[in-house]
Amino acid sequence: LYINLTVLLLGAFVLCGLEDWKFTDGLYWAWQTATTVGYGDCALTSVASRLCAAVYALLALAALNCGLGGITAANATKRHEKEFRALLRTPLDEQLIKTLDRDGDGVDRAEF
């Protein structure tokens, strides 16, 4: 989250300096670019701005994907741990063993 915020603010500051924009306009442009929306209402006028924007777009996309990947991984881990705890609370009975035995020859290591 901090990396995403840092990249977003850095992109806004740099473009505000290069394009003589208000900070809110720079922040708006940085958010559009990071999320790949790109309405086209903030046009870059100088070559330096366009080069900076190209580098920023790559960095912002990478940072945003890392952030989203971290959130997704945390959710998957939480779900897995919840399912694991539920499995540990399940009592071992004959019905569970029959459910685990898929080929009818008893529960082997692979089925367990």
Side-chain angles (χ1 to χ4, degrees):
L1 183 61
Y2 294 117
I3 293 172
N4 290 330
L5 188 59
T6 302
V7 170
L8 186 74
L9 292 174
L10 184 64
F13 278 123
V14 169
L15 262 291
C16 284
L18 291 172
E19 290 290 326
D20 196 31
W21 288 345
K22 293 186 294 182
F23 181 70
T24 53
D25 292 336
L27 198 57
Y28 174 71
W29 173 86
W31 181 253
Q32 275 188 40
T33 303
T35 57
T36 67
V37 173
Y39 294 117
D41 54 347
C42 297
L44 304 178
T45 57
S46 70
V47 173
S49 296
R50 290 181 184 137
L51 289 173
C52 243
V55 171
Y56 171 77
L58 293 173
L59 289 175
L61 283 172
L64 192 61
N65 284 330
C66 282
L68 292 174
I71 292 169
T72 302
N75 284 338
T77 300
K78 184 178 177 180
R79 188 184 78 241
H80 180 266
E81 288 173 356
K82 183 179 177 182
E83 290 172 356
F84 183 70
R85 283 191 305 272
L87 181 62
L88 289 178
R89 285 191 301 268
T90 304
L92 185 60
D93 60 5
E94 188 176 342
Q95 181 60 35
L96 178 60
I97 292 172
K98 287 180 182 177
T99 304
L100 292 174
D101 184 16
R102 295 183 182 203
D103 55 10
D105 66 348
V107 179
D108 60 10
R109 183 178 288 223
E111 291 171 328
F112 183 69

